[in-house]
Amino acid sequence: MDDATGPAAASCTLGPVRALTATLSSVADLVWPAHCAGCGRPGAVCCAPCRRALRAGARTDLPDGTPVHGCAPHDGPARQVLLAVKDRGRAEARPALADALTDALTDALTDALADLLGAPAPGVVLVPVPTRAASRRARGGDLVADLAARAAATARRRGHDVDVRRCLRLARRVRDQTDLDARGRRANVRGAFTLAGPAPARPCLVLDDVVTTTATAAEAVRALRAGGARVDAVLTVTIA
């Protein structure tokens, strides 16, 4: 017997709401074909070459030596996908960023176990960097916290013991960092974060969407350590 395909078949196997969603999605693809958030090619939200670009890898260190693991340098398709999600409302590309972050997380865990061959990966806590209220309103929610939740869920499916704790909060108002130089960014976030509640008992990895001057990541690490947390590394989508 031939397999039925298309919206009509979907309505036979899905509930009414899901069938309607599938039908509308099919119609939307005909009228507004999906295009890649990284390169603009039609046919995929994030095409295979751009997904590979998101996994190019990037490394740096904070001034105190804390390692920073990035999915990719902040240029090319990786930069475009991140900006599409942050500034152009392409929420459907968030899973591609989360998948790439999970790879960076695996690299961080591998580095932590470099001297412990054969040992199981330790349980870790992802701590998202706090987001300004204005940014949450502009993006329809907390992007960094959402990426942390998605990456942790993917990591758990891969067998890693990963949790998320939103245990940092803004202690005062800060400016948008976009137009600030390195010195201005350090001054803007100095003392801006504080630990909310008890420190996580497990090792922490700070998570941000992009690391440029390292000022924000360094302040997040400082605040966690001041509260008694152990911070092993920083994770980020891109490193400028």
Side-chain angles (χ1 to χ4, degrees):
M1 183 174 67
D2 292 339
D3 291 333
T5 59
S11 63
C12 296
T13 57
L14 301 176
V17 174
R18 292 182 63 195
L20 177 60
T21 300
T23 301
L24 293 176
S25 177
S26 298
V27 173
D29 284 344
L30 292 175
V31 180
W32 302 288
H35 61 280
C36 177
C39 65
R41 292 191 187 98
V45 170
C46 187
C47 70
C50 289
R51 284 180 177 270
R52 287 195 293 271
L54 273 170
R55 290 166 165 77
R59 286 289 304 273
T60 189
D61 296 295
L62 300 185
D64 66 1
T66 302
V68 180
H69 297 260
C71 302
H74 191 63
D75 58 23
R79 176 178 181 271
Q80 290 305 317
V81 175
L82 179 59
L83 293 180
V85 171
K86 290 181 64 171
D87 302 330
R88 296 194 286 274
R90 296 291 303 272
E92 71 274 20
R94 290 188 183 193
L97 299 183
D99 286 347
L101 275 169
T102 308
D103 289 347
L105 170 61
T106 301
D107 290 343
L109 294 176
T110 300
D111 277 8
L113 295 172
D115 297 325
L116 299 171
L117 297 180
V124 297
V125 175
L126 293 183
V127 180
V129 168
T131 302
R132 297 183 314 124
S135 296
R136 293 196 300 272
R137 289 193 297 269
R139 294 168 186 155
D142 191 327
L143 172 61
V144 179
D146 180 59
L147 290 178
R150 291 172 183 266
T154 302
R156 286 193 293 270
R157 287 195 294 272
R158 296 183 185 180
H160 298 296
D161 183 8
V162 182
D163 198 2
V164 178
R165 281 278 307 277
R166 298 175 67 176
C167 56
L168 284 178
R169 65 176 179 84
L170 283 165
R172 59 173 176 78
R173 296 186 65 177
V174 295
R175 296 173 53 192
D176 186 335
Q177 303 249 85
T178 304
D179 297 323
L180 299 178
D181 60 13
R183 182 176 180 181
R185 290 183 180 212
R186 288 193 296 271
N188 187 44
V189 298
R190 186 176 297 120
F193 301 147
T194 188
L195 188 64
R202 297 192 293 173
C204 298
L205 303 178
V206 168
L207 177 67
D208 205 356
D209 55 0
V210 57
V211 168
T212 51
T213 64
T214 73
T216 301
E219 167 57 19
V221 170
R222 180 210 63 77
L224 281 166
R225 288 176 175 160
R230 169 184 160 185
V231 182
D232 286 354
V234 175
L235 294 180
T236 183
V237 178
T238 59
I239 297 176

